[in-house]
Amino acid sequence: MPWFGQGNKKGKSTNTELQVQRAKQIEALRRGNLSVVETLRDAEYRVTVQIVGINITLIIKLPPQFPQDRPVVEVSPKVHHPWVDQHSIVVNCPNINGFTVQSSLLTAVQAIVEEFMRTPPAVVSNSGFQSAPTSRGYPSLFPSHNIFNNVYPPMPECTDVTNTTTNTASSQSGVQEGTLDIDQPAISDFSQLDIMSTFPELKQKSHSELLELVNEEDEVLEVIQGLPQVTQVVQQRENMAAKCTQLAKDNLAKKPVIEDLKSRLREKFSELESVQREFETSQERHVQLLEQYDPSIIHNNLKVAILEAEEESDRVVDEFIDKNINVDDFISKFLEKRTLYHSRRAKEDKMSHLIHQGF
């Protein structure tokens, strides 16, 4: 039977010891103040650290035979670093390469984090520009230079109409002859912009009022804020802010429900632990009973009982021969012992027959 035999017990003990070591390694990693997130139970974990304003995620994958087999650490996003290969796998960490059962997973992960702190990795960017960290640590998706400085020609001084026309023409020709960035619109695109249809209120202003408007930022902002597009954006922003506020209120309203579910979960977990302990105790008792009532053991016990009954009947005969008991007592005791002997003998024969038939 599969519950008996030294080989099976030894294998079960080894497997349990490996699982215990695995659980200890995972628990130590969780307590290492690294903000560990479990993505796959007992198999995959993530640790996110901020390196020079960039979030670097270490994906820790534990093989089935961990800690006998060393873990695999993957880096996301892709980076350039002496410890990381082209597939974003950490390959040159001494703690990972020399990992054994006695090694510490927490120490290996901390060694990778410390190495990245000492030698920050370079993030591999798929776009055509280099991401730069902002003051909050998020990469900026906009170029640092002002593209409008290269598109709009400088405003000429209002000396006279001839100079104004000459300066404007020369500035436009200078921009057209220069090299523009790919993402920057050409001057012809702005020349086709219908200013008067976009800002109809400018039709009623004189030349001097327009010059004053250029120098008054508040009035320019007032004109821009009156545009339908700007008004629409402001309205959308207010709607999104209202939705975010409502979402936050809904989340806060669900907090008691979540706390109640957490409490019930803790109770269920405690109940599970109690049932599991009871199950393990019953399982041990089950194994003991199986060993106790094994057919071969019962057969051996019957053989021993037959010998004991035969010895007791012989002892009664010896006492009668030595005249220590009378005839009536001898007959009574001898019949009792022989009956017990033959009963056990019949049971032993039946058990032998059943064992030979594969019972």
Side-chain angles (χ1 to χ4, degrees), residues 309-353:
E310 187 174 10
E311 290 177 357
E312 290 178 359
S313 63
D314 292 340
R315 189 179 305 111
V316 172
V317 172
D318 293 337
E319 290 180 354
F320 178 72
I321 294 174
D322 295 337
K323 298 181 180 181
N324 293 329
I325 57 177
N326 56 29
V327 176
D328 294 335
D329 292 339
F330 166 72
I331 294 174
S332 175
K333 292 182 179 180
F334 185 77
L335 288 176
E336 179 183 357
K337 299 301 181 183
R338 296 307 293 180
T339 302
L340 180 62
Y341 168 80
H342 288 292
S343 174
R344 291 176 178 178
R345 172 63 70 180
K347 293 179 181 179
E348 191 269 338
D349 292 339
K350 183 63 175 178
M351 182 63 68
S352 299
H353 181 67

Short mmCIF file of all heavy atoms in Angstrom, two decimals, residues 309-353:
data_model
loop_
_atom_site.label_atom_id
_atom_site.label_comp_id
_atom_site.label_asym_id
_atom_site.label_seq_id
_atom_site.Cartn_x
_atom_site.Cartn_y
_atom_site.Cartn_z
N ALA A 309 -2.21 -19.96 23.08
CA ALA A 309 -3.31 -20.86 23.49
C ALA A 309 -2.82 -22.30 23.64
O ALA A 309 -3.24 -23.03 24.57
CB ALA A 309 -4.44 -20.78 22.46
N GLU A 310 -1.94 -22.71 22.74
CA GLU A 310 -1.41 -24.07 22.82
C GLU A 310 -0.56 -24.24 24.08
O GLU A 310 -0.62 -25.28 24.77
CB GLU A 310 -0.60 -24.39 21.57
CG GLU A 310 -0.15 -25.85 21.50
CD GLU A 310 0.54 -26.16 20.17
OE1 GLU A 310 0.82 -25.20 19.42
OE2 GLU A 310 0.80 -27.35 19.90
N GLU A 311 0.25 -23.23 24.41
CA GLU A 311 1.07 -23.29 25.62
C GLU A 311 0.19 -23.35 26.87
O GLU A 311 0.49 -24.09 27.84
CB GLU A 311 2.00 -22.09 25.67
CG GLU A 311 3.11 -22.13 24.62
CD GLU A 311 3.97 -20.88 24.67
OE1 GLU A 311 3.65 -19.98 25.47
OE2 GLU A 311 4.97 -20.80 23.91
N GLU A 312 -0.91 -22.60 26.88
CA GLU A 312 -1.79 -22.62 28.05
C GLU A 312 -2.47 -23.99 28.21
O GLU A 312 -2.64 -24.50 29.33
CB GLU A 312 -2.84 -21.52 27.91
CG GLU A 312 -2.26 -20.11 28.05
CD GLU A 312 -3.30 -19.04 27.86
OE1 GLU A 312 -4.48 -19.40 27.59
OE2 GLU A 312 -2.95 -17.84 27.98
N SER A 313 -2.89 -24.61 27.10
CA SER A 313 -3.50 -25.95 27.20
C SER A 313 -2.48 -26.98 27.68
O SER A 313 -2.80 -27.88 28.49
CB SER A 313 -4.08 -26.36 25.84
OG SER A 313 -3.06 -26.47 24.87
N ASP A 314 -1.25 -26.89 27.22
CA ASP A 314 -0.19 -27.80 27.69
C ASP A 314 0.07 -27.59 29.19
O ASP A 314 0.36 -28.56 29.93
CB ASP A 314 1.09 -27.58 26.90
CG ASP A 314 0.96 -28.01 25.43
OD1 ASP A 314 0.04 -28.81 25.14
OD2 ASP A 314 1.77 -27.54 24.59
N ARG A 315 -0.03 -26.34 29.61
CA ARG A 315 0.18 -26.06 31.03
C ARG A 315 -0.92 -26.72 31.88
O ARG A 315 -0.67 -27.24 32.99
CB ARG A 315 0.22 -24.56 31.27
CG ARG A 315 0.66 -24.18 32.68
CD ARG A 315 0.70 -22.66 32.88
NE ARG A 315 1.54 -22.03 31.88
CZ ARG A 315 1.10 -21.24 30.89
NH1 ARG A 315 -0.22 -21.03 30.78
NH2 ARG A 315 1.93 -20.68 30.04
N VAL A 316 -2.15 -26.72 31.38
CA VAL A 316 -3.25 -27.38 32.11
C VAL A 316 -3.02 -28.89 32.19
O VAL A 316 -3.25 -29.53 33.24
CB VAL A 316 -4.60 -27.06 31.42
CG1 VAL A 316 -5.72 -27.89 32.03
CG2 VAL A 316 -4.92 -25.58 31.54
N VAL A 317 -2.52 -29.48 31.09
CA VAL A 317 -2.22 -30.93 31.09
C VAL A 317 -1.13 -31.24 32.10
O VAL A 317 -1.21 -32.23 32.85
CB VAL A 317 -1.81 -31.37 29.67
CG1 VAL A 317 -1.32 -32.82 29.70
CG2 VAL A 317 -2.98 -31.23 28.72
N ASP A 318 -0.08 -30.40 32.17
CA ASP A 318 1.00 -30.62 33.13
C ASP A 318 0.48 -30.55 34.56
O ASP A 318 0.90 -31.32 35.43
CB ASP A 318 2.11 -29.61 32.90
CG ASP A 318 2.81 -29.82 31.56
OD1 ASP A 318 2.76 -30.96 31.02
OD2 ASP A 318 3.43 -28.84 31.03
N GLU A 319 -0.40 -29.60 34.82
CA GLU A 319 -0.94 -29.48 36.18
C GLU A 319 -1.77 -30.72 36.54
O GLU A 319 -1.77 -31.18 37.69
CB GLU A 319 -1.81 -28.21 36.26
CG GLU A 319 -1.00 -26.92 36.21
CD GLU A 319 -1.90 -25.70 36.29
OE1 GLU A 319 -3.13 -25.88 36.27
OE2 GLU A 319 -1.35 -24.56 36.36
N PHE A 320 -2.50 -31.26 35.54
CA PHE A 320 -3.30 -32.47 35.83
C PHE A 320 -2.40 -33.69 36.08
O PHE A 320 -2.67 -34.52 36.96
CB PHE A 320 -4.24 -32.73 34.66
CG PHE A 320 -5.07 -33.98 34.83
CD1 PHE A 320 -6.10 -34.03 35.77
CD2 PHE A 320 -4.80 -35.13 34.08
CE1 PHE A 320 -6.84 -35.19 35.92
CE2 PHE A 320 -5.54 -36.28 34.25
CZ PHE A 320 -6.57 -36.32 35.17
N ILE A 321 -1.32 -33.78 35.30
CA ILE A 321 -0.38 -34.90 35.49
C ILE A 321 0.27 -34.80 36.87
O ILE A 321 0.48 -35.82 37.55
CB ILE A 321 0.65 -34.92 34.38
CG1 ILE A 321 -0.03 -35.24 33.03
CG2 ILE A 321 1.76 -35.91 34.67
CD1 ILE A 321 0.89 -35.16 31.84
N ASP A 322 0.59 -33.58 37.26
CA ASP A 322 1.21 -33.38 38.58
C ASP A 322 0.18 -33.45 39.71
O ASP A 322 0.54 -33.24 40.89
CB ASP A 322 1.93 -32.04 38.62
CG ASP A 322 3.10 -31.99 37.66
OD1 ASP A 322 3.62 -33.08 37.31
OD2 ASP A 322 3.50 -30.87 37.23
N LYS A 323 -1.07 -33.72 39.36
CA LYS A 323 -2.15 -33.85 40.34
C LYS A 323 -2.37 -32.57 41.13
O LYS A 323 -2.71 -32.59 42.32
CB LYS A 323 -1.89 -35.02 41.28
CG LYS A 323 -1.82 -36.37 40.58
CD LYS A 323 -1.59 -37.49 41.56
CE LYS A 323 -1.53 -38.85 40.85
NZ LYS A 323 -1.32 -39.99 41.79
N ASN A 324 -2.15 -31.43 40.46
CA ASN A 324 -2.42 -30.15 41.11
C ASN A 324 -3.88 -29.73 40.96
O ASN A 324 -4.35 -28.83 41.67
CB ASN A 324 -1.53 -29.07 40.51
CG ASN A 324 -0.06 -29.30 40.83
OD1 ASN A 324 0.25 -29.87 41.91
ND2 ASN A 324 0.84 -28.90 39.94
N ILE A 325 -4.60 -30.33 40.01
CA ILE A 325 -6.02 -30.04 39.83
C ILE A 325 -6.76 -31.37 39.69
O ILE A 325 -6.18 -32.38 39.29
CB ILE A 325 -6.25 -29.17 38.58
CG1 ILE A 325 -5.69 -29.86 37.32
CG2 ILE A 325 -5.65 -27.78 38.76
CD1 ILE A 325 -5.96 -29.09 36.06
N ASN A 326 -8.08 -31.38 40.01
CA ASN A 326 -8.88 -32.58 39.90
C ASN A 326 -9.37 -32.76 38.48
O ASN A 326 -9.12 -31.93 37.60
CB ASN A 326 -10.03 -32.56 40.89
CG ASN A 326 -10.89 -31.29 40.71
OD1 ASN A 326 -10.97 -30.76 39.60
ND2 ASN A 326 -11.48 -30.81 41.79
N VAL A 327 -10.13 -33.85 38.29
CA VAL A 327 -10.56 -34.20 36.92
C VAL A 327 -11.55 -33.18 36.38
O VAL A 327 -11.49 -32.77 35.22
CB VAL A 327 -11.18 -35.63 36.92
CG1 VAL A 327 -11.73 -35.97 35.53
CG2 VAL A 327 -10.15 -36.65 37.35
N ASP A 328 -12.49 -32.76 37.19
CA ASP A 328 -13.51 -31.81 36.71
C ASP A 328 -12.87 -30.48 36.28
O ASP A 328 -13.21 -29.92 35.23
CB ASP A 328 -14.55 -31.58 37.80
CG ASP A 328 -15.35 -32.85 38.11
OD1 ASP A 328 -15.44 -33.70 37.19
OD2 ASP A 328 -15.87 -32.95 39.24
N ASP A 329 -11.97 -29.97 37.11
CA ASP A 329 -11.29 -28.71 36.73
C ASP A 329 -10.45 -28.90 35.47
O ASP A 329 -10.37 -28.01 34.62
CB ASP A 329 -10.42 -28.23 37.90
CG ASP A 329 -11.24 -27.78 39.09
OD1 ASP A 329 -12.43 -27.47 38.87
OD2 ASP A 329 -10.69 -27.74 40.19
N PHE A 330 -9.78 -30.03 35.37
CA PHE A 330 -8.96 -30.28 34.18
C PHE A 330 -9.80 -30.28 32.90
O PHE A 330 -9.44 -29.67 31.90
CB PHE A 330 -8.24 -31.63 34.34
CG PHE A 330 -7.63 -32.12 33.06
CD1 PHE A 330 -6.50 -31.51 32.53
CD2 PHE A 330 -8.21 -33.19 32.36
CE1 PHE A 330 -5.94 -31.97 31.34
CE2 PHE A 330 -7.66 -33.64 31.18
CZ PHE A 330 -6.52 -33.02 30.65
N ILE A 331 -10.94 -31.01 32.98
CA ILE A 331 -11.79 -31.07 31.79
C ILE A 331 -12.32 -29.69 31.41
O ILE A 331 -12.33 -29.30 30.24
CB ILE A 331 -12.96 -32.06 32.03
CG1 ILE A 331 -12.42 -33.48 32.19
CG2 ILE A 331 -13.96 -32.00 30.88
CD1 ILE A 331 -13.48 -34.50 32.58
N SER A 332 -12.73 -28.94 32.39
CA SER A 332 -13.27 -27.60 32.12
C SER A 332 -12.21 -26.68 31.52
O SER A 332 -12.41 -26.03 30.47
CB SER A 332 -13.82 -27.01 33.41
OG SER A 332 -14.24 -25.67 33.18
N LYS A 333 -11.04 -26.59 32.15
CA LYS A 333 -9.98 -25.70 31.66
C LYS A 333 -9.42 -26.16 30.33
O LYS A 333 -9.13 -25.36 29.43
CB LYS A 333 -8.87 -25.58 32.70
CG LYS A 333 -9.28 -24.84 33.96
CD LYS A 333 -8.10 -24.72 34.92
CE LYS A 333 -8.49 -23.97 36.17
NZ LYS A 333 -7.35 -23.83 37.12
N PHE A 334 -9.22 -27.49 30.20
CA PHE A 334 -8.62 -28.00 28.97
C PHE A 334 -9.54 -27.76 27.77
O PHE A 334 -9.08 -27.37 26.69
CB PHE A 334 -8.32 -29.49 29.13
CG PHE A 334 -7.59 -30.07 27.95
CD1 PHE A 334 -6.23 -29.83 27.78
CD2 PHE A 334 -8.26 -30.85 27.01
CE1 PHE A 334 -5.55 -30.36 26.69
CE2 PHE A 334 -7.58 -31.38 25.92
CZ PHE A 334 -6.22 -31.14 25.75
N LEU A 335 -10.86 -28.01 27.94
CA LEU A 335 -11.80 -27.76 26.85
C LEU A 335 -11.82 -26.26 26.46
O LEU A 335 -11.90 -25.91 25.29
CB LEU A 335 -13.21 -28.23 27.24
CG LEU A 335 -13.42 -29.74 27.31
CD1 LEU A 335 -14.83 -30.07 27.79
CD2 LEU A 335 -13.16 -30.39 25.94
N GLU A 336 -11.74 -25.42 27.47
CA GLU A 336 -11.74 -23.95 27.19
C GLU A 336 -10.51 -23.55 26.39
O GLU A 336 -10.60 -22.82 25.39
CB GLU A 336 -11.79 -23.19 28.52
CG GLU A 336 -11.76 -21.68 28.33
CD GLU A 336 -11.74 -20.95 29.66
OE1 GLU A 336 -11.80 -21.63 30.72
OE2 GLU A 336 -11.63 -19.71 29.64
N LYS A 337 -9.32 -24.03 26.79
CA LYS A 337 -8.08 -23.65 26.11
C LYS A 337 -8.02 -24.24 24.70
O LYS A 337 -7.59 -23.57 23.76
CB LYS A 337 -6.87 -24.10 26.93
CG LYS A 337 -6.80 -23.48 28.32
CD LYS A 337 -6.75 -21.94 28.24
CE LYS A 337 -6.65 -21.34 29.64
NZ LYS A 337 -6.66 -19.85 29.58
N ARG A 338 -8.44 -25.48 24.54
CA ARG A 338 -8.39 -26.11 23.22
C ARG A 338 -9.41 -25.48 22.27
O ARG A 338 -9.16 -25.33 21.07
CB ARG A 338 -8.64 -27.60 23.33
CG ARG A 338 -7.58 -28.37 24.11
CD ARG A 338 -6.18 -28.11 23.61
NE ARG A 338 -5.97 -28.66 22.26
CZ ARG A 338 -4.83 -28.57 21.58
NH1 ARG A 338 -3.80 -27.90 22.12
NH2 ARG A 338 -4.72 -29.10 20.39
N THR A 339 -10.57 -25.12 22.82
CA THR A 339 -11.55 -24.42 21.98
C THR A 339 -10.99 -23.10 21.47
O THR A 339 -11.14 -22.75 20.29
CB THR A 339 -12.86 -24.18 22.76
OG1 THR A 339 -13.38 -25.43 23.21
CG2 THR A 339 -13.88 -23.46 21.90
N LEU A 340 -10.33 -22.36 22.36
CA LEU A 340 -9.70 -21.10 21.96
C LEU A 340 -8.61 -21.33 20.93
O LEU A 340 -8.47 -20.58 19.96
CB LEU A 340 -9.14 -20.39 23.20
CG LEU A 340 -8.43 -19.04 22.95
CD1 LEU A 340 -9.40 -18.02 22.36
CD2 LEU A 340 -7.84 -18.52 24.26
N TYR A 341 -7.85 -22.41 21.14
CA TYR A 341 -6.77 -22.74 20.21
C TYR A 341 -7.32 -23.03 18.82
O TYR A 341 -6.84 -22.50 17.81
CB TYR A 341 -5.97 -23.93 20.76
CG TYR A 341 -5.02 -24.54 19.74
CD1 TYR A 341 -3.78 -23.96 19.48
CD2 TYR A 341 -5.38 -25.70 19.05
CE1 TYR A 341 -2.92 -24.52 18.55
CE2 TYR A 341 -4.53 -26.27 18.12
CZ TYR A 341 -3.29 -25.67 17.86
OH TYR A 341 -2.44 -26.21 16.93
N HIS A 342 -8.31 -23.89 18.73
CA HIS A 342 -8.86 -24.25 17.42
C HIS A 342 -9.57 -23.08 16.75
O HIS A 342 -9.56 -22.95 15.51
CB HIS A 342 -9.81 -25.45 17.57
CG HIS A 342 -9.10 -26.73 17.86
ND1 HIS A 342 -8.27 -27.38 16.95
CD2 HIS A 342 -9.08 -27.51 18.99
CE1 HIS A 342 -7.78 -28.48 17.48
NE2 HIS A 342 -8.24 -28.58 18.74
N SER A 343 -10.20 -22.23 17.54
CA SER A 343 -10.84 -21.04 16.97
C SER A 343 -9.80 -20.11 16.32
O SER A 343 -9.99 -19.62 15.20
CB SER A 343 -11.62 -20.30 18.06
OG SER A 343 -12.13 -19.08 17.56
N ARG A 344 -8.70 -19.88 17.03
CA ARG A 344 -7.64 -19.03 16.47
C ARG A 344 -6.98 -19.69 15.27
O ARG A 344 -6.59 -19.01 14.30
CB ARG A 344 -6.61 -18.71 17.55
CG ARG A 344 -7.16 -17.80 18.64
CD ARG A 344 -6.13 -17.57 19.74
NE ARG A 344 -6.65 -16.65 20.75
CZ ARG A 344 -5.99 -16.30 21.85
NH1 ARG A 344 -4.76 -16.83 22.09
NH2 ARG A 344 -6.53 -15.46 22.71
N ARG A 345 -6.85 -21.02 15.31
CA ARG A 345 -6.26 -21.73 14.19
C ARG A 345 -7.14 -21.60 12.93
O ARG A 345 -6.64 -21.39 11.83
CB ARG A 345 -6.10 -23.21 14.55
CG ARG A 345 -5.67 -24.11 13.38
CD ARG A 345 -4.30 -23.71 12.84
NE ARG A 345 -3.27 -24.05 13.82
CZ ARG A 345 -1.97 -23.81 13.62
NH1 ARG A 345 -1.57 -23.21 12.49
NH2 ARG A 345 -1.08 -24.12 14.54
N ALA A 346 -8.45 -21.67 13.12
CA ALA A 346 -9.36 -21.53 11.98
C ALA A 346 -9.27 -20.10 11.39
O ALA A 346 -9.26 -19.91 10.17
CB ALA A 346 -10.79 -21.84 12.41
N LYS A 347 -9.20 -19.12 12.26
CA LYS A 347 -9.08 -17.74 11.79
C LYS A 347 -7.76 -17.50 11.05
O LYS A 347 -7.70 -16.80 10.04
CB LYS A 347 -9.19 -16.77 12.96
CG LYS A 347 -10.57 -16.75 13.60
CD LYS A 347 -10.61 -15.79 14.78
CE LYS A 347 -11.99 -15.79 15.43
NZ LYS A 347 -12.03 -14.87 16.61
N GLU A 348 -6.70 -18.13 11.58
CA GLU A 348 -5.38 -17.97 10.93
C GLU A 348 -5.38 -18.62 9.56
O GLU A 348 -4.83 -18.07 8.60
CB GLU A 348 -4.31 -18.59 11.83
CG GLU A 348 -2.88 -18.27 11.39
CD GLU A 348 -2.34 -19.31 10.43
OE1 GLU A 348 -2.88 -20.44 10.45
OE2 GLU A 348 -1.41 -19.00 9.65
N ASP A 349 -6.03 -19.80 9.41
CA ASP A 349 -6.11 -20.46 8.10
C ASP A 349 -6.90 -19.60 7.12
O ASP A 349 -6.53 -19.45 5.94
CB ASP A 349 -6.76 -21.84 8.24
CG ASP A 349 -5.88 -22.80 9.02
OD1 ASP A 349 -4.65 -22.54 9.08
OD2 ASP A 349 -6.40 -23.79 9.57
N LYS A 350 -8.00 -19.02 7.59
CA LYS A 350 -8.82 -18.17 6.73
C LYS A 350 -8.06 -16.92 6.30
O LYS A 350 -8.10 -16.50 5.13
CB LYS A 350 -10.11 -17.78 7.46
CG LYS A 350 -11.08 -16.95 6.62
CD LYS A 350 -11.58 -17.73 5.42
CE LYS A 350 -12.64 -16.95 4.67
NZ LYS A 350 -13.12 -17.66 3.47
N MET A 351 -7.31 -16.33 7.22
CA MET A 351 -6.53 -15.12 6.90
C MET A 351 -5.43 -15.45 5.90
O MET A 351 -5.16 -14.69 4.97
CB MET A 351 -5.94 -14.54 8.19
CG MET A 351 -5.13 -13.24 7.94
SD MET A 351 -6.13 -11.90 7.28
CE MET A 351 -7.19 -11.54 8.69
N SER A 352 -4.78 -16.60 6.06
CA SER A 352 -3.73 -17.01 5.10
C SER A 352 -4.32 -17.19 3.71
O SER A 352 -3.72 -16.79 2.72
CB SER A 352 -3.08 -18.32 5.58
OG SER A 352 -2.46 -18.15 6.83
N HIS A 353 -5.52 -17.81 3.68
CA HIS A 353 -6.18 -18.00 2.39
C HIS A 353 -6.49 -16.65 1.71
O HIS A 353 -6.30 -16.48 0.51
CB HIS A 353 -7.45 -18.80 2.60
CG HIS A 353 -8.22 -19.07 1.34
ND1 HIS A 353 -7.74 -19.90 0.33
CD2 HIS A 353 -9.41 -18.57 0.90
CE1 HIS A 353 -8.62 -19.93 -0.67
NE2 HIS A 353 -9.63 -19.13 -0.34
#
